[in-house]
Amino acid sequence: SFGQGAIPSAESHLLLTQSGRDLYTELAKRSPKALTQIEKMKRNLAELIAQPLQVPLPKDAGGGYTHEQHKANQKAIFEAGVLYKLTGEDKYAEHCKQLLDAYAAMYKSLPLHPEKKEQTPGKLFWQSLNDAVWLVYSVQGFDAIKSYLSPVEREYLKTELFEPYVHFLSVDGEETFNKIHNHGTWALAAVGMAGYSLEEDDWVQMALKGSAADGSGGFLNQLNQLFSPDGYYTEGPYYQRYALMPFVVFAQAIANNNPDLEIFEYRNGILIKAIYAAIDLTYNGHFFPINDALKEKNLTTSEMVFGIDIAYKETGDPRLLSIAAYQGSFAPIDAGFETMAALTKSEAIPYDYNSIRFRDGKEGEEGGLAIFRPYSANSKDDAALIYKYTSQGMGHGHFDKLTWLFYDNGNEVIRDYGAARFLNIEAKYGGHYLKENNTWAKQSIAHTTVVVDEKSHFEGKYKVASAAYPTEILYDVSEPNLQVASAELAEVYPGVKFIRTMALVQDEAFEYPLVLDLFEVESEEAHQYDLPLYFNGQFIHLNSPIQAHQNQLKPLGNAEGYEHLWNLGEAQANAELTQFTWLLNDRFYTWSSQTDSDDKLILVELGAHDPDFSLRNERGLVLRTQSEGKHYFLSALETHGTFDAKNEVTVNASNQILELKLITRGAEKIIQVMTKDSGIREFKIN
Amino acid sequence: SFGQGAIPSAESHLLLTQSGRDLYTELAKRSPKALTQIEKMKRNLAELIAQPLQVPLPKDAGGGYTHEQHKANQKAIFEAGVLYKLTGEDKYAEHCKQLLDAYAAMYKSLPLHPEKKEQTPGKLFWQSLNDAVWLVYSVQGFDAIKSYLSPVEREYLKTELFEPYVHFLSVDGEETFNKIHNHGTWALAAVGMAGYSLEEDDWVQMALKGSAADGSGGFLNQLNQLFSPDGYYTEGPYYQRYALMPFVVFAQAIANNNPDLEIFEYRNGILIKAIYAAIDLTYNGHFFPINDALKEKNLTTSEMVFGIDIAYKETGDPRLLSIAAYQGSFAPIDAGFETMAALTKSEAIPYDYNSIRFRDGKEGEEGGLAIFRPYSANSKDDAALIYKYTSQGMGHGHFDKLTWLFYDNGNEVIRDYGAARFLNIEAKYGGHYLKENNTWAKQSIAHTTVVVDEKSHFEGKYKVASAAYPTEILYDVSEPNLQVASAELAEVYPGVKFIRTMALVQDEAFEYPLVLDLFEVESEEAHQYDLPLYFNGQFIHLNSPIQAHQNQLKPLGNAEGYEHLWNLGEAQANAELTQFTWLLNDRFYTWSSQTDSDDKLILVELGAHDPDFSLRNERGLVLRTQSEGKHYFLSALETHGTFDAKNEVTVNASNQILELKLITRGAEKIIQVMTKDSGIREFKIN
Ligand SMILES: [Zn+2]
Ligand SMILES: [Zn+2]
């Protein structure tokens, strides 16, 4: 099926069509300011057109010259195509054509990339993933200039570039192509979109159903397997964002060319759910950094711009327009022009971030992720509690079972390290994931969850971890003042079961929403349990005397992430309640946890065994208890007070909680909280 | 002169008069949105009026209940007065009166504050400074409601409150009152403003000329002595801001009541110069944190709001309106309403931050502070180089002779620690300066300047340091592409002289402005010289292999600040040029310094000997050389490249400089820079 087809027609089949051009023309008249980014694109192209083409032989790894140049070219091909489609000016089409021709001239003779990465080498790039991405963009450029090209030119590009390229991705790269994995999605999208544009239905069918066309691979199968029924992508928000791009652009191409497939309705509208999920998986625009995740990523990335615009085109939901407004840009495709046209008519309404729980697993039965937001949250600075009881999330997953994150006042307050990686920075291990990503970021001690005997969950074994997943016991947000979720997981360690219950409470005794946390550990054996708290901010007060290691620091342990933590100081815990207060910007946070005097508190700082000084020197507080076996940690996090540096006023620097108790009353499990000013408050958590 | 005067009239004499009220009325009609803050003031007052008065017996230290309550009351008295003046509604005057009466009822019987601070106890507060501030605000409240009060009521407040209060500040507190120091300014302003409002000219005369009226103290004398001829306040920007408040409000009162004194023209308009200086002493709105300074402070503080409004009233400079717009608020006085009225008429033009040098010392002969900004800077994110060669700056000064700071892209890049203090946070040493302020923040090693033999400048002796000051050799910004300043200081250590020359260069070889730094040390004896670099960002690359202390950390030294630095790792320097690259947000910075292979580089992190975990864990790189005596450090700082996490593109991660050389050509001193792409560039620095 490579090369038997006819010469491609002059017609465009992909994401930018006459409809987009008409909207562009209308906007140019009615609201030219809305097209600033197109004007910028024109200026960039003018510069590029003035320079000689640079289509080097592939040589460098990620971040290196040829890598970046081929990425720049893929962008230029795409944008030149867009500009030709919008303006009809030949200079753009000519630039696009010349670039494509240059690739066509060399493509067939290219060997695998000299810096090939692991098992999935590319040709233009070190890994085939990048090659697939290149094609997704470049074929859109081609599609936009088809009418400019003569039939001979179209045929030339087809036989010299697109056919061998599709062959490389789908035949040489068959394993990736059929894999139920995000790398596969890019390959499918690339081949499928090439199929539509080059009018090769075989390519489309392979992309939809896998190269064996038996349903073991392919796009539809990926839609079945890679998202949970709630639209959650099992690798987590960072990769959910990244994964969306090939899904939504290919889906848009399918919708345009095979409306009969009703792709956006497929599996109860799973793709649209996934786009909304990506929005809900953010705080202040930034994705929750669970699993391997770089914290810089936010809703303004181009994947999300394409995603939001395509979802808006499909749904007409005016809340999406407020996200588009936040993004400040649109995708230069039909959907993007529709979104921008609606924005200029002031049709946006705010996106309402509500509490929501995403089930994980393709059937939704492999745990989940609960996001609690205060009832009637009305600002991006409001609190958010994230309780993670998802499955492992494939190879980028962390050993962080039943962990949590907390945001408030625009900031990370209780945080996850995310990934240890300097993306695209050559000097830092070539921009790859650092070895510290394995030795630190993935380890259990890097997370605010219980660590038994200084070992990571499931012995840090990916296969064992992947076979297990938490079971949700409860998720209830029907009472807005007491939102609660509970999940359990057996055999996190041999014979050790975790049950964690977390709640976000709004109660008159507290100035801000209160977090409650009951972490039950069931075991027959005696163990050491560590519960770290990765707080963000400046140490203000701990209610038991802490001995700082003032003159010498040693790591907290030898392995499984402990070797990366400096032990800054230790305290014997208070016999009743440990209380730790820190300051972050203008608010105080106090963590209270039931302790007894045998428990230990260890203040730690990241940075030991870090020969290249790659780790951020963040701090945490570890609560350590030696237990006969069964144990529970009962904790609460209060947000309180104001440190107003401008007016030099500090209020409520001290917190409300005096005592925490777990009591049962019949079948009810209740956390009893003694407060300073409002007596005893009770919160039922089951 | 206490109590002999007549009953005060019903007339207002201070900062809010009929003119302010007229503007208020006009704005309320024309642009009610501009008065949001007045509406908010009304809502606050409505709440206060509904509650019982709280005028407790003074008891608590800073941050404690009675301290904060008396501060809240001073605000309420002021604002209730303002609202009465603006609206004529009796309820405001009545609230103001009741508060003043409550103070009058207790004032005479008050002892010194039980938590009295050092040598300057207050009555309402722990230190008399706070008492003076209270009066500055409260007498303005009184002044605004004079017409509401009966003569008997006015007399009562005068004899029971204001007379004894003025007596306390000027007679009991005579030493502070006559001191040439910011605490004295507050006392003078309080007494002087009380004098105008209560119509006691003796008080005014004391305030203007000191209690002996011999010119040894007093406001005019302070204007002569506390500011340099350029309007620089010797304690530095943080205290410049703070000091401004009593100067400008009292000056405004003087201008209103004694126009004959031409107070704003006094000493070539020194007060207006000081207000402009405070603006120029900021980056991105934040004051340069030299000497004891909290970094949270910015141009929006109320001192600056009063300062800008009063300066605008005086000068009509529309650039000040853009600062007022940034502040987002105005002072509720005549000047504030004038400023707001102009703002609503869109009369603002941007404030042009230019290179400027402030001479220090009352005659301008005690060194200075050079601020270099790129020529045609047009964004708040543009670079700024601050070269500090000021005098010691009194008790809040640091031992940081010839140090520098660098800002870029909205961030601190090369930074000063500022002060070690949690202002108003009781749990942190009662909100006082921490002991680490002396042991760390003030020490020389805490700064990006040379430290000899691990000792602070002038042996860390305040008196010795105060007797010395740098001499400016050169300050030349006439060539916008090569702005340069040079200063020298002898006997920083016995027999050791420093000469530092810094330049900000704009050259086609460099993407962003380049910093050049020649630090010459002259000495007859052999010494160890340390040059630290307090960089902000993540370690990317050092061009010589660094041995990290992976498994154990020890402090760098035993005293003078060295005991607070963990030694993270060491490297032998490159035999030609040490190059160190770090990443901050989306830009790279590379510091290059001529070294030889005997030199050592030590990566350090703050936090050793910090028993209460009060210090921020910032990092620095120390260049250490053992020298026979005479030595120079020749260094450059490049800003380069982009780390675009959103688009996953990194460009120019490597820098331009390959070689640095100091050469002389006749009388010319030239820094020769060999670049990667543009050959040799030469910069003459004398
Ligand atoms: Zn993690
Ligand atoms: Zn300092």
Side-chain angles (χ1 to χ4, degrees), chain A residues 420-493:
Chain A
R421 183 185 190 184
F422 292 84
L423 185 64
N424 279 336
I425 298 184
E426 190 64 30
K428 285 293 190 184
Y429 192 48
H432 300 267
Y433 284 102
L434 302 173
K435 66 178 189 309
E436 289 79 9
N437 194 56
N438 284 319
T439 61
W440 165 253
K442 283 190 171 178
Q443 300 296 326
S444 300
I445 190 63
H447 300 88
T448 296
T449 181
V450 168
V451 187
V452 178
D453 298 334
E454 304 190 26
K455 302 283 180 199
S456 279
H457 300 165
F458 305 111
E459 302 178 64
K461 289 183 179 158
Y462 170 60
K463 282 201 176 163
V464 183
S466 296
Y469 44 79
T471 303
E472 184 180 279
I473 299 169
L474 173 71
Y475 169 75
D476 187 353
V477 296
S478 61
E479 167 57 69
N481 290 327
L482 176 49
Q483 308 182 55
V484 59
S486 184
E488 64 178 12
L489 179 55
E491 298 296 317
V492 183
Y493 298 86

Side-chain angles (χ1 to χ4, degrees), chain B residues 414-435:
Chain B
I414 302 298
R415 58 191 173 183
D416 188 302
Y417 189 84
R421 182 183 191 184
F422 292 85
L423 185 64
N424 278 336
I425 298 184
E426 190 62 31
K428 285 292 190 184
Y429 193 48
H432 300 267
Y433 284 103
L434 301 174
K435 67 179 187 311

Side-chain angles (χ1 to χ4, degrees), chain A residues 289-293 388 396-400 403 405 415-419 437 440-444 446-448:
Chain A
I290 55 176
N291 297 332
D292 285 347
K388 176 179 189 282
H396 290 296
H398 288 190
F399 297 95
D400 62 349
T403 191
L405 303 176
R415 57 190 174 183
D416 188 302
Y417 189 83
N437 194 56
W440 165 253
K442 283 190 171 178
Q443 300 296 326
S444 300
H447 300 88
T448 296

Side-chain angles (χ1 to χ4, degrees), chain A residues 71 296-297 300 423-424 428 539 550-555 605 609 613 617 643 645-646 648 650, chain B residues 71 296-297 300 423-424 428 539 550-555 603 605 609 617 643 645-646 648 650:
Chain A
K71 279 173 70 179
E296 293 87 356
K297 293 289 184 182
T300 68
L423 185 64
N424 279 336
K428 285 293 190 184
F539 187 115
Q550 299 196 53
N551 204 40
Q552 178 179 273
L553 294 186
K554 292 282 204 174
E605 182 177 303
H609 293 99
F613 306 101
N617 54 352
F643 168 65
K646 181 175 141 186
E648 306 198 355
T650 299
Chain B
K71 277 172 74 178
E296 293 87 356
K297 294 291 185 183
T300 69
L423 185 64
N424 278 336
K428 285 292 190 184
F539 186 114
Q550 300 196 52
N551 204 40
Q552 179 180 276
L553 294 187
K554 293 282 204 176
L603 187 72
E605 182 178 304
H609 293 99
N617 53 353
F643 169 65
K646 181 174 141 188
E648 305 197 355
T650 300

